[in-house]
Amino acid sequence: MSFINRRDLALLALRAGTGAVLMAHGTQKLFGWFGGGGLEGTAAAMEQMGFRPGRHSALAAGLGEAGGGALLVLGLATPAAGAAAAGAMAGAVSVHAPAGFFAQSGGFEYPAFLGFTAAAIGLAGPGRYSLDHLSGHAFDQRWMLGLAFTASAAAAAFVLTKRAQDLQSAEPAGSAEEE
């Protein structure tokens, strides 16, 4: 087996594994599969976590995970898929960050790993065993890479800034630390 084939097989395995995990998480949010809350339950949870409006946030998170994951599995529009999944995971990291790094204490280790892995796949490209390769990379252009990651980063920054402002304004008067 040549080096190129090994690399392409590795990318296929990484895309399939990461994409499948993201799809499972996203379908929990969207449809309630695998013990998830579905759109309504996730929307209520998102509101509690400070993402408002909750339904829009639940839909965006679910689509970023399930849609980005599905596209990663297929190796289709790989830059956009990686960027969408990484952006969705940025929101999850913000929720888990107060608990520290490690997942065993509720930290952000797991969503960060998924986000970085999705981003790396988006940057590396899908490899030969993909629909992007089969289509002549019609949806895997260099300009799409920059556009997808810029749009995802901007959207994540906007959502997380709004969440932080909403959480801060929701604090009861006098509960903030005084200097």
Side-chain angles (χ1 to χ4, degrees):
M1 186 177 288
S2 74
F3 179 74
I4 296 284
N5 287 336
R6 287 176 49 201
R7 179 186 169 276
D8 292 328
L9 281 174
L11 284 169
L12 173 62
L14 190 60
R15 282 192 353 256
T18 303
V21 170
L22 286 163
M23 284 173 43
H25 280 278
T27 58
Q28 285 181 312
K29 290 172 179 63
L30 295 172
F31 310 118
W33 295 356
F34 311 111
L39 199 51
E40 295 309 315
T42 303
M46 294 294 248
E47 286 277 343
Q48 290 295 315
M49 290 182 265
F51 293 99
R52 295 183 182 89
R55 185 171 177 82
H56 291 124
S57 298
L59 187 60
L63 289 174
E65 292 174 9
L71 290 172
L72 285 174
V73 168
L74 296 170
L76 181 62
T78 306
M89 290 297 99
V93 166
S94 76
V95 170
H96 292 275
F101 177 72
F102 292 102
Q104 68 192 29
S105 58
F108 65 91
E109 173 185 18
Y110 184 62
F113 181 76
L114 284 174
F116 281 120
T117 303
I121 295 167
L123 291 169
R128 268 196 286 193
Y129 308 119
S130 66
L131 291 181
D132 275 336
H133 181 76
L134 191 62
S135 72
H137 295 276
F139 302 105
D140 181 25
Q141 300 292 316
R142 199 172 278 183
W143 65 267
M144 289 179 187
L145 181 71
L147 179 63
F149 277 91
T150 300
S152 181
F158 173 79
V159 168
L160 296 178
T161 299
K162 182 179 180 312
R163 175 182 182 250
Q165 291 169 345
D166 289 349
L167 288 173
Q168 187 175 15
S169 68
E171 287 181 5
S175 69
E177 292 182 36
E178 296 187 21
E179 296 179 39

